[in-house]
Amino acid sequence: MFKWIKEQWQWIVGGIIAIIAIAASKKRDSIAKVSKGDNKARAVHDQKVNEDQARVYKEFVLERSEAEEKFREDIEKITENKELRQKELENNPEELDKILKEKYKLKG
């Protein structure tokens, strides 16, 4: 048996190398398949992220528009109240004097 191994060692080593080469080739193919699958998954993920970003941006713009409208309404109310209060004080000098005395801590 040892004599046969000595005579056929080149064939035995060649067979072992062939087996290793086939195994490495299959591994390389599986890596390529996984890579293609990863690319598809990455594309799906990127698309979902883009859709979510667009949705969030639309919500933000809507909320900002609503906040701006509320701000404008509040400014209008403040302006109206200020004008009304100013007219009241123009017609009531005693009240105006009282407010000025309290605000500036005047005696008199």
Side-chain angles (χ1 to χ4, degrees):
M1 172 126 182
F2 289 115
K3 185 179 177 184
W4 181 82
I5 292 177
K6 283 183 179 181
E7 291 174 1
Q8 304 297 325
W9 72 270
Q10 292 174 342
W11 289 101
I12 294 172
V13 170
I16 292 172
I17 290 176
I19 292 172
I20 292 172
I22 291 170
S25 172
K26 292 201 182 273
K27 183 176 181 180
R28 185 185 67 226
D29 290 343
S30 67
I31 290 172
K33 288 178 184 176
V34 168
S35 178
K36 287 179 185 176
D38 286 348
N39 288 340
K40 288 179 184 177
R42 188 175 298 122
V44 169
H45 176 263
D46 290 346
Q47 182 180 1
K48 184 174 181 340
V49 167
N50 289 340
E51 290 170 356
D52 290 344
Q53 286 176 339
R55 180 183 50 80
V56 169
Y57 179 74
K58 287 178 184 177
E59 290 174 4
F60 167 75
V61 169
L62 180 63
E63 289 176 9
R64 184 182 66 194
S65 297
E66 291 171 355
E68 288 175 351
E69 184 62 32
K70 185 178 182 314
F71 177 75
R72 278 191 221 105
E73 291 172 0
D74 291 346
I75 293 295
E76 288 175 10
K77 287 180 185 177
I78 290 170
T79 304
E80 289 174 13
N81 288 340
K82 180 181 173 184
E83 290 172 358
L84 287 174
R85 186 68 175 150
Q86 186 175 5
K87 286 181 184 177
E88 287 176 9
L89 292 176
E90 285 175 358
N91 296 329
N92 192 351
E94 292 84 23
E95 182 71 20
L96 179 60
D97 289 342
K98 179 182 172 187
I99 291 172
L100 290 174
K101 286 178 184 178
E102 289 176 0
K103 183 173 181 177
Y104 294 107
K105 298 179 184 176
L106 299 175
K107 295 181 181 177

